[in-house]
Structures are given as C-alpha cells and as structure tokens.
Amino acid sequence: MKLIGNYTSPYVRKISVILLEKGITFEFSNESPWSEESHVPQYNPLGKVPALVDDNGISWYDSSIIAAWLETLPHTPKLLPDDALAAVNIRQLEALADGICDAALFIVREQMRPTEQQSPEEMLRQRHKIERGLDALERAAASGTWLNGDSLNLAGIAAACAIGYLNFRRVTPNWCVNRPALVKLVEKHFQRESFARTVPPAA
C-alpha cells in the first residue's frame, strides 16, 4: 500500500496511526496538496490528503472513508465494534474530531494571508466551533462509553490527532483548561508508539 500525504496533516496522521496499529506495511509518499507540482490530484480528484493506494492500485480518499475501508480488512485490532449502532456513535465522534481539524486548518490558512485580507469574524466563528467541539469531546471522554475507554478505537485516535494538530499549530493553546478527561485521553494515546512515530515535523 502507498499512503499519500504529509505528517503536518492530522487526517494523514490518523490514517498512519491506524496502519501502524494494525501492523499494515505501507510506503509513505510525502506530498503537499498546496504545491503547484503536487501529484495528489492523481490519487484524489479533490486534491486533498490523505489518499491511500491499495495493493490492487485502487485509490481511496477522505480519511473517514479510508479508515472505514481499513476496517474491512482482516488486520487487528478492530477499531470499530461489530454492533452497528455503537460503530455509528464512534464514527460520529470521529467526525466531530475531524470537524475540529477543519476549523483549525481554516484558521491556519487564514493567518497565512496578508493581514488586510484576513477575516477576524470568520476566524472567531471557527474558534467557537473548536471550543464547542472540544467541550463535546470532553463530555464523551468523561463518560468513557465511546471515548476514553479501555480499548483503542477510531474515536480516540481521531480525537488525539485533532488535539495534536491544535498543539502543533498553536491553535487554542488553552484547550486543556477544564477538560481533564481529554487530557487523560491525549496522555494515554501519545504514549503509544504509533503516535510517537507520526509526530508532525517541527514547524
């Protein structure tokens, strides 16, 4: 398999962690979707990372779809339960974590624009999304039902990757205030070899 993307992307990190946890051998192709010379559109028509090329040469794209496809393979550990409703609950938390990444990425990209072209109102709107999303993840982590339980699952991986991105880009640096369950989740996940091997490069 070949994974296309770069480790500054939390979505790419999520898939990399899943592949490492499942012990699936893969080649990593470091590609930026923002470069004019990018080959990413060859694998994903939308020009976004990650994309994963399987052993049959088929390209899979969008991190949630790739994660779902990887669950169809016989490799363990399974990151979604067999119960359909439980799996949907976990997938919804994955979507919540990815949405936090979407909002953070918007802020990062906006801050790269000339100051006079930035929209403070839109950045504030995205920060509110992040705060609400983190509060929802905190409640889920505190309950321990679908997040922060005893076994590794897709929701936990996605949430840890999202917070890792907030740390990396210094978006919402006080995310940990009054969110002890999320702090526990992050500390637990960041100790895993799969997370240690996918730390974003220094900015």
Side-chain angles (χ1 to χ4, degrees):
M1 292 189 193
K2 179 165 72 170
L3 177 62
I4 296 94
N6 59 75
Y7 283 131
T8 62
S9 164
Y11 317 105
V12 172
R13 189 182 192 188
K14 177 175 69 173
I15 299 306
S16 301
V17 166
I18 293 172
L19 290 167
L20 291 169
E21 289 289 345
K22 290 178 176 289
I24 299 175
T25 301
F26 66 99
E27 173 191 350
F28 184 74
S29 178
N30 188 14
E31 288 274 359
S32 169
W34 305 105
S35 168
E36 291 184 3
E37 296 80 24
S38 174
H39 296 98
V40 173
Q42 297 177 15
Y43 306 101
N44 178 353
L46 300 177
K48 299 169 68 176
V49 295
L52 182 70
V53 181
D54 68 19
D55 293 337
N56 295 314
I58 298 173
S59 292
W60 300 90
Y61 44 86
D62 188 279
S63 69
S64 63
I65 296 298
I66 297 172
W69 177 74
L70 289 172
E71 282 299 289
T72 70
L73 303 181
H75 301 77
T76 56
K78 287 293 184 182
L79 301 174
L80 289 172
D82 293 330
D83 180 79
L85 182 57
V88 170
N89 275 281
I90 291 172
R91 293 292 308 274
Q92 180 165 262
L93 289 170
E94 177 200 13
L96 179 60
D98 285 353
I100 290 171
C101 294
D102 292 344
L105 181 60
F106 179 93
I107 292 171
V108 170
R109 297 298 300 179
E110 188 73 2
Q111 290 175 335
M112 291 179 179
R113 289 156 55 89
T115 303
E116 65 275 10
Q117 296 180 17
Q118 295 178 19
S119 172
E121 295 82 8
E122 188 57 33
M123 285 195 286
L124 181 61
R125 181 170 176 266
Q126 299 300 323
R127 291 188 188 280
H128 287 161
K129 288 183 183 181
I130 293 171
E131 291 293 338
R132 292 194 302 269
L134 289 171
D135 287 342
L137 286 180
E138 171 65 19
R139 291 191 294 271
S143 75
T145 304
W146 313 118
L147 191 63
N148 219 16
D150 294 332
S151 59
L152 183 71
N153 69 19
L154 183 55
I157 291 173
C161 286
I163 293 173
Y165 186 71
L166 297 181
N167 289 342
F168 171 59
R169 292 302 191 189
R170 299 175 178 85
V171 178
T172 319
N174 62 341
W175 68 264
C176 57
V177 176
N178 297 322
R179 296 188 181 109
L182 275 184
V183 171
K184 176 184 175 184
L185 179 145
V186 167
E187 289 176 345
K188 180 170 60 178
H189 282 72
F190 284 4
Q191 290 175 3
R192 302 184 71 90
E193 182 181 357
S194 59
F195 277 86
R197 289 176 59 182
T198 55
V199 173

mmCIF file of all heavy atoms in Angstrom, residues 40-68:
data_model
loop_
_atom_site.group_PDB
_atom_site.id
_atom_site.type_symbol
_atom_site.label_atom_id
_atom_site.label_comp_id
_atom_site.label_asym_id
_atom_site.label_seq_id
_atom_site.Cartn_x
_atom_site.Cartn_y
_atom_site.Cartn_z
ATOM 1 N N VAL A 40 -1.011 14.917 -5.842
ATOM 2 C CA VAL A 40 -2.180 14.461 -5.079
ATOM 3 C C VAL A 40 -3.422 14.298 -5.949
ATOM 4 O O VAL A 40 -4.153 13.305 -5.806
ATOM 5 C CB VAL A 40 -2.449 15.406 -3.887
ATOM 6 C CG1 VAL A 40 -3.758 15.047 -3.198
ATOM 7 C CG2 VAL A 40 -1.296 15.340 -2.890
ATOM 8 N N PRO A 41 -3.715 15.232 -6.892
ATOM 9 C CA PRO A 41 -4.922 15.062 -7.713
ATOM 10 C C PRO A 41 -4.942 13.778 -8.543
ATOM 11 O O PRO A 41 -6.013 13.352 -8.992
ATOM 12 C CB PRO A 41 -4.907 16.305 -8.622
ATOM 13 C CG PRO A 41 -4.155 17.328 -7.837
ATOM 14 C CD PRO A 41 -3.092 16.544 -7.140
ATOM 15 N N GLN A 42 -3.774 13.160 -8.758
ATOM 16 C CA GLN A 42 -3.744 11.887 -9.464
ATOM 17 C C GLN A 42 -4.404 10.779 -8.638
ATOM 18 O O GLN A 42 -4.886 9.781 -9.200
ATOM 19 C CB GLN A 42 -2.300 11.489 -9.778
ATOM 20 C CG GLN A 42 -1.575 12.444 -10.705
ATOM 21 C CD GLN A 42 -0.130 12.036 -10.925
ATOM 22 O OE1 GLN A 42 0.266 10.903 -10.613
ATOM 23 N NE2 GLN A 42 0.667 12.951 -11.460
ATOM 24 N N TYR A 43 -4.419 10.961 -7.330
ATOM 25 C CA TYR A 43 -4.967 9.946 -6.439
ATOM 26 C C TYR A 43 -6.329 10.342 -5.871
ATOM 27 O O TYR A 43 -7.138 9.478 -5.517
ATOM 28 C CB TYR A 43 -3.991 9.691 -5.287
ATOM 29 C CG TYR A 43 -2.602 9.336 -5.744
ATOM 30 C CD1 TYR A 43 -1.567 10.275 -5.735
ATOM 31 C CD2 TYR A 43 -2.316 8.060 -6.225
ATOM 32 C CE1 TYR A 43 -0.291 9.952 -6.171
ATOM 33 C CE2 TYR A 43 -1.040 7.730 -6.666
ATOM 34 C CZ TYR A 43 -0.035 8.680 -6.635
ATOM 35 O OH TYR A 43 1.229 8.346 -7.072
ATOM 36 N N ASN A 44 -6.564 11.632 -5.721
ATOM 37 C CA ASN A 44 -7.838 12.148 -5.215
ATOM 38 C C ASN A 44 -8.250 13.318 -6.106
ATOM 39 O O ASN A 44 -7.558 14.335 -6.144
ATOM 40 C CB ASN A 44 -7.688 12.615 -3.761
ATOM 41 C CG ASN A 44 -8.975 13.198 -3.193
ATOM 42 O OD1 ASN A 44 -9.959 13.381 -3.906
ATOM 43 N ND2 ASN A 44 -8.972 13.502 -1.913
ATOM 44 N N PRO A 45 -9.351 13.198 -6.841
ATOM 45 C CA PRO A 45 -9.774 14.274 -7.735
ATOM 46 C C PRO A 45 -9.946 15.615 -7.036
ATOM 47 O O PRO A 45 -9.840 16.666 -7.673
ATOM 48 C CB PRO A 45 -11.111 13.769 -8.288
ATOM 49 C CG PRO A 45 -11.083 12.295 -8.097
ATOM 50 C CD PRO A 45 -10.265 12.045 -6.877
ATOM 51 N N LEU A 46 -10.213 15.578 -5.720
ATOM 52 C CA LEU A 46 -10.394 16.818 -4.968
ATOM 53 C C LEU A 46 -9.070 17.448 -4.556
ATOM 54 O O LEU A 46 -9.047 18.551 -4.006
ATOM 55 C CB LEU A 46 -11.242 16.543 -3.723
ATOM 56 C CG LEU A 46 -12.646 15.989 -3.995
ATOM 57 C CD1 LEU A 46 -13.360 15.680 -2.684
ATOM 58 C CD2 LEU A 46 -13.460 16.965 -4.827
ATOM 59 N N GLY A 47 -7.975 16.743 -4.799
ATOM 60 C CA GLY A 47 -6.658 17.299 -4.483
ATOM 61 C C GLY A 47 -6.389 17.411 -3.001
ATOM 62 O O GLY A 47 -5.643 18.307 -2.585
ATOM 63 N N LYS A 48 -6.968 16.529 -2.211
ATOM 64 C CA LYS A 48 -6.809 16.579 -0.753
ATOM 65 C C LYS A 48 -6.119 15.321 -0.254
ATOM 66 O O LYS A 48 -6.200 14.260 -0.884
ATOM 67 C CB LYS A 48 -8.183 16.728 -0.076
ATOM 68 C CG LYS A 48 -8.932 17.995 -0.470
ATOM 69 C CD LYS A 48 -10.368 17.968 -0.006
ATOM 70 C CE LYS A 48 -10.492 18.032 1.495
ATOM 71 N NZ LYS A 48 -11.926 18.103 1.931
ATOM 72 N N VAL A 49 -5.439 15.443 0.870
ATOM 73 C CA VAL A 49 -4.801 14.294 1.513
ATOM 74 C C VAL A 49 -5.560 13.973 2.805
ATOM 75 O O VAL A 49 -6.205 14.858 3.380
ATOM 76 C CB VAL A 49 -3.308 14.572 1.815
ATOM 77 C CG1 VAL A 49 -2.545 14.743 0.521
ATOM 78 C CG2 VAL A 49 -3.120 15.797 2.712
ATOM 79 N N PRO A 50 -5.498 12.682 3.193
ATOM 80 C CA PRO A 50 -4.711 11.588 2.635
ATOM 81 C C PRO A 50 -5.423 10.897 1.473
ATOM 82 O O PRO A 50 -6.630 11.005 1.312
ATOM 83 C CB PRO A 50 -4.581 10.627 3.816
ATOM 84 C CG PRO A 50 -5.885 10.787 4.543
ATOM 85 C CD PRO A 50 -6.208 12.267 4.427
ATOM 86 N N ALA A 51 -4.600 10.176 0.708
ATOM 87 C CA ALA A 51 -5.103 9.201 -0.249
ATOM 88 C C ALA A 51 -4.316 7.920 0.006
ATOM 89 O O ALA A 51 -3.138 7.978 0.378
ATOM 90 C CB ALA A 51 -4.927 9.675 -1.679
ATOM 91 N N LEU A 52 -4.965 6.799 -0.171
ATOM 92 C CA LEU A 52 -4.313 5.509 0.069
ATOM 93 C C LEU A 52 -4.515 4.638 -1.160
ATOM 94 O O LEU A 52 -5.650 4.427 -1.592
ATOM 95 C CB LEU A 52 -4.907 4.824 1.304
ATOM 96 C CG LEU A 52 -4.271 3.488 1.702
ATOM 97 C CD1 LEU A 52 -2.861 3.708 2.250
ATOM 98 C CD2 LEU A 52 -5.127 2.768 2.745
ATOM 99 N N VAL A 53 -3.423 4.165 -1.719
ATOM 100 C CA VAL A 53 -3.484 3.269 -2.874
ATOM 101 C C VAL A 53 -3.299 1.849 -2.373
ATOM 102 O O VAL A 53 -2.280 1.529 -1.751
ATOM 103 C CB VAL A 53 -2.397 3.623 -3.907
ATOM 104 C CG1 VAL A 53 -2.500 2.703 -5.114
ATOM 105 C CG2 VAL A 53 -2.519 5.085 -4.332
ATOM 106 N N ASP A 54 -4.304 0.998 -2.622
ATOM 107 C CA ASP A 54 -4.225 -0.366 -2.110
ATOM 108 C C ASP A 54 -3.380 -1.246 -3.033
ATOM 109 O O ASP A 54 -2.857 -0.790 -4.057
ATOM 110 C CB ASP A 54 -5.615 -0.953 -1.867
ATOM 111 C CG ASP A 54 -6.421 -1.190 -3.147
ATOM 112 O OD1 ASP A 54 -5.822 -1.254 -4.243
ATOM 113 O OD2 ASP A 54 -7.659 -1.322 -3.036
ATOM 114 N N ASP A 55 -3.262 -2.501 -2.670
ATOM 115 C CA ASP A 55 -2.386 -3.409 -3.412
ATOM 116 C C ASP A 55 -2.907 -3.723 -4.809
ATOM 117 O O ASP A 55 -2.187 -4.293 -5.630
ATOM 118 C CB ASP A 55 -2.200 -4.709 -2.622
ATOM 119 C CG ASP A 55 -1.425 -4.489 -1.332
ATOM 120 O OD1 ASP A 55 -0.683 -3.498 -1.252
ATOM 121 O OD2 ASP A 55 -1.575 -5.304 -0.387
ATOM 122 N N ASN A 56 -4.170 -3.363 -5.076
ATOM 123 C CA ASN A 56 -4.733 -3.549 -6.417
ATOM 124 C C ASN A 56 -4.674 -2.264 -7.242
ATOM 125 O O ASN A 56 -5.221 -2.218 -8.351
ATOM 126 C CB ASN A 56 -6.186 -4.027 -6.310
ATOM 127 C CG ASN A 56 -6.286 -5.400 -5.672
ATOM 128 O OD1 ASN A 56 -5.532 -6.311 -6.028
ATOM 129 N ND2 ASN A 56 -7.202 -5.552 -4.728
ATOM 130 N N GLY A 57 -4.029 -1.227 -6.691
ATOM 131 C CA GLY A 57 -3.901 0.017 -7.403
ATOM 132 C C GLY A 57 -5.108 0.926 -7.311
ATOM 133 O O GLY A 57 -5.189 1.940 -8.010
ATOM 134 N N ILE A 58 -6.054 0.582 -6.437
ATOM 135 C CA ILE A 58 -7.249 1.397 -6.252
ATOM 136 C C ILE A 58 -6.963 2.493 -5.241
ATOM 137 O O ILE A 58 -6.391 2.239 -4.176
ATOM 138 C CB ILE A 58 -8.433 0.537 -5.775
ATOM 139 C CG1 ILE A 58 -8.781 -0.514 -6.832
ATOM 140 C CG2 ILE A 58 -9.661 1.399 -5.459
ATOM 141 C CD1 ILE A 58 -9.823 -1.514 -6.384
ATOM 142 N N SER A 59 -7.350 3.726 -5.563
ATOM 143 C CA SER A 59 -7.146 4.856 -4.653
ATOM 144 C C SER A 59 -8.361 5.055 -3.769
ATOM 145 O O SER A 59 -9.498 5.076 -4.246
ATOM 146 C CB SER A 59 -6.893 6.147 -5.455
ATOM 147 O OG SER A 59 -5.654 6.096 -6.119
ATOM 148 N N TRP A 60 -8.103 5.188 -2.482
ATOM 149 C CA TRP A 60 -9.136 5.509 -1.501
ATOM 150 C C TRP A 60 -8.808 6.888 -0.942
ATOM 151 O O TRP A 60 -7.651 7.196 -0.677
ATOM 152 C CB TRP A 60 -9.159 4.468 -0.381
ATOM 153 C CG TRP A 60 -9.449 3.083 -0.871
ATOM 154 C CD1 TRP A 60 -8.543 2.152 -1.273
ATOM 155 C CD2 TRP A 60 -10.738 2.489 -1.028
ATOM 156 N NE1 TRP A 60 -9.183 1.010 -1.665
ATOM 157 C CE2 TRP A 60 -10.534 1.183 -1.529
ATOM 158 C CE3 TRP A 60 -12.044 2.931 -0.794
ATOM 159 C CZ2 TRP A 60 -11.590 0.318 -1.793
ATOM 160 C CZ3 TRP A 60 -13.096 2.064 -1.045
ATOM 161 C CH2 TRP A 60 -12.865 0.786 -1.551
ATOM 162 N N TYR A 61 -9.825 7.714 -0.777
ATOM 163 C CA TYR A 61 -9.560 9.060 -0.261
ATOM 164 C C TYR A 61 -10.669 9.524 0.659
ATOM 165 O O TYR A 61 -11.767 8.958 0.663
ATOM 166 C CB TYR A 61 -9.338 10.064 -1.392
ATOM 167 C CG TYR A 61 -10.294 9.989 -2.548
ATOM 168 C CD1 TYR A 61 -11.516 10.659 -2.511
ATOM 169 C CD2 TYR A 61 -9.975 9.257 -3.684
ATOM 170 C CE1 TYR A 61 -12.390 10.599 -3.582
ATOM 171 C CE2 TYR A 61 -10.847 9.189 -4.755
ATOM 172 C CZ TYR A 61 -12.058 9.853 -4.708
ATOM 173 O OH TYR A 61 -12.914 9.786 -5.770
ATOM 174 N N ASP A 62 -10.323 10.549 1.432
ATOM 175 C CA ASP A 62 -11.042 11.061 2.599
ATOM 176 C C ASP A 62 -10.706 10.138 3.771
ATOM 177 O O ASP A 62 -10.934 8.926 3.719
ATOM 178 C CB ASP A 62 -12.557 11.136 2.401
ATOM 179 C CG ASP A 62 -13.221 11.852 3.561
ATOM 180 O OD1 ASP A 62 -13.451 11.232 4.615
ATOM 181 O OD2 ASP A 62 -13.485 13.060 3.418
ATOM 182 N N SER A 63 -10.175 10.734 4.823
ATOM 183 C CA SER A 63 -9.645 9.918 5.930
ATOM 184 C C SER A 63 -10.715 9.037 6.565
ATOM 185 O O SER A 63 -10.433 7.915 6.983
ATOM 186 C CB SER A 63 -8.988 10.810 6.984
ATOM 187 O OG SER A 63 -9.939 11.601 7.676
ATOM 188 N N SER A 64 -11.959 9.519 6.640
ATOM 189 C CA SER A 64 -13.004 8.699 7.251
ATOM 190 C C SER A 64 -13.333 7.495 6.379
ATOM 191 O O SER A 64 -13.607 6.406 6.902
ATOM 192 C CB SER A 64 -14.260 9.538 7.506
ATOM 193 O OG SER A 64 -14.802 10.024 6.295
ATOM 194 N N ILE A 65 -13.298 7.666 5.056
ATOM 195 C CA ILE A 65 -13.543 6.553 4.143
ATOM 196 C C ILE A 65 -12.387 5.560 4.198
ATOM 197 O O ILE A 65 -12.589 4.333 4.220
ATOM 198 C CB ILE A 65 -13.747 7.061 2.705
ATOM 199 C CG1 ILE A 65 -14.999 7.930 2.621
ATOM 200 C CG2 ILE A 65 -13.823 5.898 1.718
ATOM 201 C CD1 ILE A 65 -16.292 7.213 2.960
ATOM 202 N N ILE A 66 -11.163 6.072 4.218
ATOM 203 C CA ILE A 66 -10.003 5.184 4.314
ATOM 204 C C ILE A 66 -10.061 4.374 5.600
ATOM 205 O O ILE A 66 -9.825 3.158 5.607
ATOM 206 C CB ILE A 66 -8.689 5.985 4.238
ATOM 207 C CG1 ILE A 66 -8.565 6.697 2.887
ATOM 208 C CG2 ILE A 66 -7.486 5.074 4.467
ATOM 209 C CD1 ILE A 66 -7.400 7.666 2.800
ATOM 210 N N ALA A 67 -10.390 5.051 6.703
ATOM 211 C CA ALA A 67 -10.486 4.350 7.987
ATOM 212 C C ALA A 67 -11.551 3.263 7.930
ATOM 213 O O ALA A 67 -11.352 2.145 8.444
ATOM 214 C CB ALA A 67 -10.790 5.342 9.105
ATOM 215 N N ALA A 68 -12.687 3.573 7.317
ATOM 216 C CA ALA A 68 -13.764 2.586 7.195
ATOM 217 C C ALA A 68 -13.323 1.407 6.325
ATOM 218 O O ALA A 68 -13.614 0.248 6.635
ATOM 219 C CB ALA A 68 -15.016 3.240 6.615
#
